[in-house]
Amino acid sequence: MKNLFTIIIVLAALKSYSQSKPQSYYQTLFDDKGYDKSIRYSTDENRLEFSWGLPAQMEALILMYEKTGEKKYAETLIKCIGNVIDRRDDLRGQLQGLRKVSDYRGVSGAVWSTNHYNEIADSGSPYAHLVHSANILYPMAKFVAIVKAKGSDVQNLISDPQGRYGKQTYKRIADDIIQKINETLDFHEDQWQTESGGIGYYRERDNNPPIKYAGKTLPFNMQSSIGRVFVQMYRATSQDRYLTKLIGLSNFLKSNTFFNKNLQSNIWKYWGNTDLYEDIPHAGLTISFPYECYKYNILYKGKPIYSLSDIQYYINTFMKDIYQFPLSVNMGVNYNKESWNIKSNNKIGDSPYGNYINYMWLYLSEYDKRLYQKIADLLAAKNYYEKIEVEGSFLTVALLANFENLIVPVNTDHSWNKTSDWQGVASGNFDDDSEDEFVVVRNSDGMIGVREPYNKEFRSVANNKYYNGKYNWKGIAAGDFFDDNKSEIIALSHHADPEYNGLYVLKVENKDIIEKVKFTGLSTKADWVGVVAGNFISGGKDECIVVGNANKEVLVYKFNGTHVQVVYTNALNLPKNSKITAVAAGNLNNDLKDEIVLAIDSPDAVHNGIYVYNIDDKGIVTKIAQSVGSARVEWKGLAVGDINGDGINEVIAHKNSDGEYLVYKLTKNGLSTLGSERFPILQTKDNIMCLGNFNSQFKNDELITLRNDGGVVLFSAAKIIRNTNNSTGLQQK
């Protein structure tokens, strides 16, 4: 990311960035943007903001409080809640310069009415929409539920002195909020309807309101919105009246939800009044109520109202129905007449981009990390974030923070296509600054290019160099081979002509990539896997290693001046039916020299896995560790770097078979697994990757991946550690 944003933050906030403990990437972003302190919408005199903007802001704050337990989020939320209650229709007159608001009936109640959604928009008397009340009440109710669940340590906290709830205990604040929530629920009570079979739902008022669908049953997303409030109120109070309501709503939703056997997914419409499909953002609100019921274990007669299988069906609605393939989505549930290919920006249909807002679906990623990476992939794509607000949305950033796991995408370039046929990527320092850049090579036109992260994309560091497709590149590496404190590039060719088959050493000079020397004449039958660079032999300069599958061999080369010479050719003791699929290198044990890492595919589980080798000064390799044997998993991507910022490198290995990334740490007992990240298979198939310190603000290295579809994506660690001498928040270079 070579730094994302230019944000000036107060000096007091800087202290937190000098800490050495890991911190959430998106929590840092949330705070850097001032969302942890903002009371923006809650004091807005545009009452339309109280319908959606304010609720999203408060929901973001309660998410951050629930996730971290940090008081600052609760304090900002308390101020917002106080401001919102002060601006309720029936209480506004207590504030200087404001007056009470009455609805179309002349009633001033415990709601926040608006005429924006009238049949004639922004005209006539206001109407209090249940969904707006529910959206506002939900974060209030969830705050109360958290306070009640936390016990005296939280309940006895004293709030900051400002606002309606200044200098009060959290318990007293929670008790008052419960009363205020009930006042709003009572206002809408006459809209509640029941039917046989325990079904309950809400409908619009039918006494000549200024809206189009008077007396009609509300859409399913609106039923879910109020359902979430009842879940949290039941958690907070254990009162059956809330349980009765949420059971009725769940029965209503289930009676209008159908099952797609082929996709193992749920299907539903927008509502029962017309045959209107459910678009992505409304569906995201609809699924939030079942999610809450399952997450908080809401039971009826000893059984969960929603089971894990129910949640999986909703997950499949996004994963298999809405989401078609990487960076391409249909616009709604069981609706393929309109779609958006975000990579090409080809949109079928005239509906606005807002119909593709999908952040609410991140809630379900708690139960399937592949869903998180699908949505995060969409949000990070330029054609998406230029059309739909992402990091300017409180709730989007909070949801990304809440469900991040191991790595998160932060820089992307999807302008390349699948014909690029990427063959290698490596990090190095090519321009004398304090941060790494990366070099890529592809086979479509033999291009070698050097890039660096910039803003949310990448920019060129040097002019591209072009060979041609006949060179059949099999990898690229970077190291200080000339002992000049800058990185050189070494590319491995698998050319059909021995005269061109071998190693090419290049250097960035005056913004051009110049070929300095080549070492060719190598065997055309070697079946090259790749090339890596590192400090393998004692001395000041880096060496390079080439790995071939034909003889399962590791060739060690060093530089004599600027010329390449072979040191030793190692034949590995591997079964003939095994295959080396990737190679990487780095210092895994914090000694003075680097190790090499191989990914081995073998039908024999004993030999299948990740291997680590030492290299002595004669170039002889010795296996020192191997991951625990497993069934054949089709290893593909491999990288070495300091992903967790602890000063010692780890190994990241990617499996084509299931899209999983595994992180390994070398210990005295071998390779131990530190964690994993799950991706959809198509999103990561045949990824090529490397790690590098592309952002000097972080101690963590970041992961560059070259995708099979041509895209280039940089992932930050989800948990970052700041460098103490570079602690000014996420900022643009």
Side-chain angles (χ1 to χ4, degrees):
M1 139 196 42
K2 218 155 211 185
N3 313 331
L4 291 179
F5 308 97
T6 302
I7 295 177
I8 300 174
I9 55 178
V10 295
L11 185 61
L14 298 182
K15 291 180 66 177
S16 66
Y17 295 138
S18 64
Q19 59 193 1
S20 60
K21 67 179 182 180
Q23 180 170 318
S24 160
Y25 177 89
Y26 280 114
Q27 182 187 356
T28 301
L29 177 59
F30 190 90
D31 294 352
D32 281 357
K33 294 182 78 67
Y35 294 162
D36 59 330
K37 296 179 175 61
S38 174
I39 57 171
R40 172 186 168 187
Y41 291 108
S42 67
T43 58
D44 204 314
E45 290 312 307
N46 178 4
R47 294 177 61 76
L48 182 59
E49 300 291 6
F50 281 53
S51 303
W52 300 102
L54 165 71
Q57 178 186 1
M58 295 200 301
E59 186 170 342
L61 288 165
I62 193 59
L63 270 170
M64 297 304 290
Y65 182 51
E66 182 181 43
K67 175 74 172 181
T68 69
E70 293 185 27
K71 190 186 179 192
K72 65 177 180 178
Y73 300 114
E75 286 298 317
T76 303
L77 177 62
I78 288 169
K79 293 183 182 71
C80 286
I81 291 173
N83 291 338
V84 172
I85 292 172
D86 286 343
R87 287 158 178 78
R88 214 170 66 176
D89 284 5
D90 57 342
L91 299 177
R92 281 168 52 91
Q94 299 174 11
L95 293 178
Q96 185 176 1
L98 298 181
R99 58 182 178 82
K100 288 199 304 185
V101 172
S102 298
D103 68 9
Y104 70 101
R105 303 168 300 172
V107 175
S108 183
V111 287
W112 301 263
S113 57
T114 177
N115 67 1
H116 180 74
Y117 296 97
N118 286 0
E119 190 166 7
I120 302 175
D122 302 312
S123 176
S125 299
Y127 179 82
H129 294 268
L130 176 76
V131 66
H132 300 156
S133 296
N135 290 343
I136 291 170
L137 296 184
Y138 168 69
M140 296 184 185
K142 191 169 183 179
F143 173 72
V144 169
I146 292 173
V147 170
K148 296 293 185 180
K150 289 289 187 180
S152 60
D153 287 347
V154 169
Q155 293 172 13
N156 292 334
L157 290 174
I158 306 296
S159 67
D160 291 345
Q162 302 88 358
R164 167 181 281 265
Y165 292 122
K167 293 185 178 180
Q168 296 183 29
T169 66
Y170 278 27
K171 182 182 184 303
R172 182 174 178 181
I173 294 169
D175 289 340
D176 187 71
I177 291 173
I178 288 175
Q179 178 184 334
K180 297 298 189 294
I181 290 171
N182 283 329
E183 290 169 1
T184 302
L185 294 176
D186 290 344
F187 182 91
H188 292 286
E189 183 61 26
D190 61 322
Q191 296 176 250
W192 176 253
Q193 307 294 311
T194 59
E195 293 181 1
S196 61
I199 291 174
Y201 56 89
Y202 283 88
R203 68 180 185 185
E204 298 287 12
R205 299 187 187 280
D206 58 4
N207 52 353
N208 199 31
I211 58 173
K212 185 174 182 179
Y213 293 101
K216 298 294 185 181
T217 301
L218 290 172
F220 303 132
N221 73 86
M222 298 183 185
Q223 309 284 354
S224 278
S225 183
I226 192 66
R228 292 202 298 171
V229 177
F230 291 129
V231 169
Q232 297 302 328
M233 290 299 284
Y234 182 61
R235 290 183 64 213
T237 68
S238 300
Q239 292 181 10
D240 286 343
R241 58 173 171 160
Y242 304 119
L243 181 62
T244 299
K245 283 283 182 29
L246 67 87
I247 290 169
L249 287 167
S250 68
N251 289 335
F252 175 71
L253 287 179
K254 288 178 180 179
S255 68
N256 287 280
T257 303
F258 305 94
F259 187 62
N260 183 326
K261 187 175 181 180
N262 291 331
L263 299 181
Q264 295 287 294
S265 65
N266 283 332
I267 298 172
W268 66 95
K269 296 290 187 180
Y270 177 74
W271 58 1
N273 299 309
T274 62
D275 193 34
L276 182 65
Y277 67 91
E278 179 95 307
D279 63 25
I280 295 173
H282 288 108
L285 187 52
T286 300
I287 58 94
S288 65
F289 170 55
Y291 161 81
E292 296 254 330
C293 290
Y294 179 72
K295 175 180 175 63
Y296 298 108
N297 194 30
I298 305 300
L299 307 176
Y300 179 59
K301 295 183 178 179
K303 294 183 179 180
I305 294 175
Y306 282 94
S307 67
L308 181 58
S309 60
D310 293 323
I311 300 303
Q312 187 60 59
Y313 299 149
Y314 281 116
I315 290 172
N316 290 344
T317 298
F318 192 96
M319 297 268 281
K320 298 181 179 181
D321 180 357
I322 293 172
Y323 187 95
Q324 295 303 291
F325 52 85
L327 298 175
S328 181
V329 291
N330 288 335
M331 200 179 69
V333 176
N334 196 36
Y335 181 75
N336 59 11
K337 294 180 181 179
E338 298 186 70
S339 62
W340 184 16
N341 185 320
I342 296 163
K343 179 178 172 64
S344 64
N345 201 29
N346 179 30
K347 188 158 75 73
I348 298 173
D350 298 326
S351 295
Y353 287 104
N355 285 28
Y356 294 88
I357 294 171
N358 53 47
Y359 56 79
M360 286 289 288
W361 288 87
L362 283 167
Y363 275 114
L364 297 186
S365 69
E366 181 172 353
Y367 303 106
D368 193 327
K369 288 299 177 183
R370 295 171 300 173
L371 178 59
Y372 182 98
Q373 292 297 351
K374 279 189 175 183
I375 295 175
D377 191 38
L378 299 172
L379 299 180
K382 182 178 181 181
N383 287 331
Y384 188 97
Y385 65 71
E386 286 191 341
K387 308 294 188 302
I388 300 174
E389 190 174 52
V390 175
E391 288 162 354
S393 163
F394 288 80
L395 186 51
T396 303
V397 178
L399 285 164
L400 287 167
N402 265 257
F403 300 111
E404 64 187 10
N405 178 30
L406 183 68
I407 52 176
V408 292
V410 293
N411 286 68
T412 60
D413 180 359
H414 293 294
S415 60
W416 307 96
N417 56 41
K418 190 170 185 176
T419 59
S420 294
D421 188 17
W422 298 115
Q423 289 297 312
V425 60
S427 62
N429 193 335
F430 305 103
D431 62 1
D432 284 331
D433 65 10
S434 61
E435 297 172 317
D436 285 342
E437 297 78 43
F438 63 95
V439 58
V440 298
V441 62
R442 67 180 190 175
N443 270 339
S444 58
D445 54 7
M447 182 200 81
I448 295 175
V450 179
R451 306 281 189 271
E452 66 179 357
Y454 183 73
N455 291 344
K456 298 178 69 175
E457 301 174 81
F458 306 96
R459 65 180 177 186
S460 294
V461 174
N463 298 317
N464 296 335
K465 184 174 182 62
Y466 293 88
Y467 286 87
N468 60 56
K470 292 183 179 180
Y471 281 80
N472 191 18
W473 299 111
K474 287 296 182 180
I476 201 162
D480 183 8
F481 307 124
F482 298 169
D483 200 18
D484 59 359
N485 296 316
K486 285 184 67 175
S487 295
E488 287 77 46
I489 301 163
I490 191 160
L492 174 64
S493 170
H494 206 320
H495 203 289
D497 185 341
E499 183 179 348
Y500 299 96
N501 187 60
L503 297 169
Y504 290 72
V505 183
L506 307 101
K507 192 169 185 66
V508 176
E509 294 180 349
N510 298 319
K511 298 292 185 180
D512 289 319
I513 301 173
I514 307 298
E515 182 183 303
K516 304 298 290 187
V517 67
K518 58 187 177 183
F519 185 79
T520 56
L522 302 184
S523 171
T524 59
K525 298 180 180 180
D527 189 13
W528 298 125
V529 176
V531 57
V532 292
N535 178 23
F536 305 117
I537 297 174
S538 300
K541 296 192 294 186
D542 286 338
E543 294 76 40
C544 74
I545 287 176
V546 175
V547 177
N549 250 323
N551 299 311
K552 306 294 187 295
E553 58 188 8
V554 174
L555 288 73
V556 181
Y557 296 93
K558 69 177 182 179
F559 283 79
N560 183 3
T562 61
H563 295 282
V564 186
Q565 67 182 59
V566 66
V567 177
Y568 196 84
T569 299
N570 296 269
L572 302 180
N573 183 23
L574 294 171
K576 290 184 178 180
N577 60 355
S578 65
K579 183 178 181 180
I580 306 170
T581 61
V583 56
N587 192 335
L588 296 174
N589 53 12
N590 212 24
D591 61 6
L592 298 178
K593 295 168 61 177
D594 294 333
E595 291 75 42
I596 65 165
V597 184
L598 302 179
I600 310 292
D601 266 352
S602 174
D604 180 357
V606 174
H607 296 99
N608 187 76
I610 306 302
Y611 290 56
V612 180
Y613 294 87
N614 263 339
I615 303 171
D616 67 17
D617 284 349
K618 295 180 181 179
I620 299 173
V621 303
T622 303
K623 187 175 77 170
I624 59 173
Q626 178 185 345
S627 63
V628 177
S630 60
R632 189 167 186 169
V633 294
E634 195 182 349
W635 298 105
K636 178 56 181 177
L638 197 62
V640 173
D642 186 8
I643 190 66
N644 61 7
D646 67 352
I648 303 174
N649 288 336
E650 294 81 39
V651 178
I652 294 186
H654 163 243
K655 299 186 292 183
N656 257 349
S657 56
D658 60 6
E660 185 176 30
Y661 282 67
L662 292 168
V663 178
Y664 295 100
K665 174 79 77 175
L666 182 64
T667 67
K668 293 180 180 179
N669 298 320
L671 284 175
S672 61
T673 306
L674 291 186
S676 66
E677 182 75 81
R678 295 296 298 275
F679 287 80
I681 294 174
L682 287 179
Q683 191 173 323
T684 61
K685 182 176 174 59
D686 293 334
N687 273 4
I688 297 168
M689 57 197 195
C690 75
L691 283 156
N693 187 227
F694 304 110
N695 188 341
S696 60
Q697 295 179 82
F698 301 160
K699 292 182 179 180
N700 312 66
D701 286 345
E702 296 172 302
L703 183 72
I704 288 283
T705 62
L706 308 185
R707 288 166 48 141
N708 179 265
D709 64 2
V712 181
V713 181
L714 181 146
F715 293 88
S716 171
K719 298 295 182 290
I720 56 174
I721 297 179
R722 293 281 185 181
N723 274 317
T724 55
N725 60 348
N726 199 342
S727 56
T728 56
L730 297 177
Q731 60 184 6
Q732 179 180 332
K733 183 178 178 181

